Amino acid sequence: MRYFLITLLLITAAVVSVAGVRGALSRKPPLEVFPDMKRQPKLRPQKPSAFFADQRDSRLPVAGTVPVDALLSDSPAATGFVPGTTNYAAISPYPMTAEWLERGHQRFTIYCSPCHSAAGDGNGIITKYGLLKAGNFHDPRILKMPDGQLFNTITLGKNQMPSYAAQIPIPDRWAIIAYVRALERTRLGDLNDVPVENRAALR
Amino acid sequence: MANLYPRWFNRLPLMAGAGLLLSGALVTAGAWYYLTPKYSRVGYQPVQPVPYSHKTHVDQLGLDCRYCHSAVDKSWYANIPSPSVCMNCHSQVLASDARLAPIRDSFKSGEPVPWVQIHRTPDFVYFNHAVHVNRGVSCVSCHGQINEMVEVRHEKPLTMAFCLDCHRNPAPNLRPPEEVYNLRWTNDPAKQLAMGKKFAHDWKIMSSQNCYTCHR
């Protein structure tokens, strides 16, 4: 009995010392004992696949593919231009509502504020790490830009700014522009924007 | 006639029984402890081609999860960003840093960066990211404090029991929608339950336990 207990203890100690404890860091992938159902020869996004010559299972669009967005292709909503011209659309084709502005605020915070800052003055956090100063939305140059030109910049990029077309779908670009316009107004207000009864509190 | 069996033989059935019971208990304990993703998956931290730090990008710079994982609220799948997203900043920031060489190469050649997937559900599990994050389930509920990880590791077991615990009682994991991507957000546990119950009711969250919810 004693030998049996000692053997049992040794086996336990061996298992624990080899297998370790739960949650310990491991560089090796988890062991899967019966992987045949867990790992099926089907396509999952962004996984390698032996089926295709280039090993990608997320297929790249065939050359010449027209994206669905382009079905709107002539409308100002899709191009930022007045149809049939090279003039920028003066204002966004989307109606301005509170929800729209809120959507624009959210998307602006995600995609624009790292460089342009939450205030839109072009001093976002990335500029402290070596990025050139981004555009200042309160600059008269940008204040005067038609909405369509801002759309064009988001879509294609400009100078140091890369295209955000892949990250921001078309309607969101217009929502962001709506929010940028609201942001600009925060520094354009004057006393006439304040209701008369509240003016005394400003002094 | 000499005794054929020594005296201790009388205790043999007892000893055999105790031995079997003890071995059985140990094997059961070992299986319970080790044969679960709580052991096999939690703590998995592969070496990635680029030592991308979520701590730097999320905690220090304050980037939103969706800046890179831009499809997470639209698609069932939370995309790994393409190198062009990295290059939005890294064309200028750390533009010639050796650690970022795989990103620059991939950006130029179009060949994917060989990131190693960490959270990998079985192929018969269809987890939908969009429906979860759009109904107030934060990234941290399943991925842990990603914002504090210099290297990402598998933090939660993501077992079927893990999913079902929340599907049976989603209230502890439901946040106000605007706090879903705020990985530092915490709530008073007492308030959280009432808040979560209210959200589950208001948003008509019917976290189904039907097999077909996740398996097909």
Side-chain angles (χ1 to χ4, degrees):
Chain A
M1 191 75 192
R2 187 181 307 149
Y3 292 116
F4 173 75
L5 284 177
I6 290 171
T7 316
L8 216 56
L9 196 71
L10 283 177
I11 291 174
T12 309
V15 167
V16 171
S17 62
V18 171
V21 292
R22 279 180 182 179
L25 289 186
S26 158
R27 294 298 193 182
K28 280 180 285 182
L31 187 70
E32 286 173 346
V33 183
F34 298 114
D36 46 343
M37 286 186 80
K38 283 186 185 149
R39 305 300 163 211
Q40 303 165 13
K42 68 180 174 190
L43 306 183
R44 305 268 287 193
Q46 297 188 315
K47 291 278 187 60
S49 163
F51 187 77
F52 295 103
D54 63 359
Q55 309 268 302
R56 297 166 194 256
D57 68 353
S58 294
R59 305 304 301 152
L60 296 171
V62 178
T65 304
V66 179
V68 177
D69 291 354
L71 292 176
L72 307 159
S73 58
D74 249 4
S75 70
T79 62
F81 290 110
V82 178
T85 70
T86 52
N87 300 330
Y88 290 117
I91 57 160
S92 162
Y94 285 85
M96 174 78 87
T97 62
E99 293 83 45
W100 189 242
L101 212 52
E102 195 38 60
R103 175 78 184 173
H105 180 191
Q106 189 202 59
R107 297 288 129 173
F108 178 91
T109 309
I110 299 169
Y111 297 110
C112 312
S113 67
C115 299
H116 290 283
S117 94
D121 59 10
N123 289 321
I125 180 119
I126 309 295
T127 61
K128 296 177 180 55
Y129 293 86
L131 198 91
L132 291 177
K133 189 176 183 303
N136 175 0
F137 297 135
H138 307 287
D139 183 340
R141 181 178 65 87
I142 296 181
L143 284 177
K144 275 186 250 157
M145 277 183 188
D147 284 1
Q149 191 171 358
L150 297 183
F151 179 85
N152 200 57
T153 303
I154 301 176
T155 309
L156 300 176
K158 191 173 194 179
N159 300 332
Q160 303 294 328
M161 176 176 161
S163 161
Y164 273 79
Q167 280 156 284
I168 313 176
I170 284 176
D172 281 350
R173 287 175 224 165
W174 290 111
I176 288 171
I177 291 164
Y179 180 71
V180 167
R181 291 308 186 201
L183 207 54
E184 286 171 346
R185 289 208 58 184
T186 59
R187 296 200 188 173
L188 294 174
D190 60 20
L191 200 57
N192 294 325
D193 294 333
V194 183
V196 180
E197 63 271 24
N198 293 345
R199 284 182 196 172
L202 292 174
R203 308 267 160 92
Chain B
M1 193 178 143
N3 275 341
L4 198 53
Y5 297 103
R7 197 169 172 75
W8 63 265
F9 236 77
N10 292 336
R11 282 182 290 140
L12 189 66
L14 193 68
M15 274 154 63
L20 270 176
L21 213 65
L22 192 62
S23 327
L26 272 175
V27 169
T28 309
W32 168 82
Y33 190 79
Y34 286 123
L35 299 185
T36 158
K38 286 178 189 169
Y39 167 74
S40 65
R41 301 208 71 96
V42 174
Y44 177 40
Q45 188 181 54
V47 180
Q48 299 286 1
V50 179
Y52 175 85
S53 165
H54 280 79
K55 185 173 172 61
T56 305
H57 290 82
V58 180
D59 250 9
Q60 192 179 328
L61 302 181
L63 289 186
D64 191 283
C65 308
R66 291 163 289 181
Y67 186 90
C68 304
H69 305 289
S70 51
V72 70
D73 57 355
K74 298 189 270 289
S75 156
W76 68 274
Y77 182 71
N79 59 309
I80 302 298
S82 74
S84 67
V85 174
C86 311
M87 293 303 276
N88 284 353
C89 297
H90 286 293
S91 59
Q92 294 172 67
V93 182
L94 300 178
S96 52
D97 194 289
R99 290 168 295 175
L100 288 161
I103 299 290
R104 290 191 297 272
D105 294 347
S106 168
F107 184 65
K108 276 191 208 113
S109 68
E111 287 299 312
V113 181
W115 299 108
V116 185
Q117 189 177 17
I118 301 170
H119 301 86
R120 199 175 173 204
T121 51
D123 281 354
F124 47 75
V125 173
Y126 291 80
F127 178 83
N128 187 320
H129 278 84
V131 294
H132 287 87
V133 293
N134 291 340
R135 296 287 185 83
V137 180
S138 173
C139 318
V140 295
S141 292
C142 301
H143 293 289
Q145 291 302 141
I146 288 279
N147 57 321
E148 290 168 8
M149 295 185 198
V150 176
E151 284 180 88
V152 178
R153 65 177 177 276
H154 206 303
E155 183 84 6
K156 306 273 175 162
L158 305 188
T159 53
M160 193 162 120
F162 178 87
C163 299
L164 280 172
D165 279 347
C166 188
H167 270 240
R168 289 179 180 133
N169 178 26
N173 287 302
L174 298 179
R175 301 180 170 200
E178 63 275 15
E179 304 294 353
V180 165
Y181 304 93
N182 177 3
L183 306 187
R184 288 186 193 163
W185 189 80
T186 53
N187 199 2
D188 175 12
K191 277 191 209 146
Q192 172 59 41
L193 217 58
M195 185 190 256
K197 282 201 177 113
K198 184 180 180 307
F199 288 154
H201 172 264
D202 291 356
W203 304 337
K204 301 187 176 62
I205 290 179
M206 289 176 281
S207 48
S208 165
Q209 292 153 41
N210 190 316
C211 311
Y212 191 74
T213 307
C214 310
H215 301 296
R216 54 198 81 140

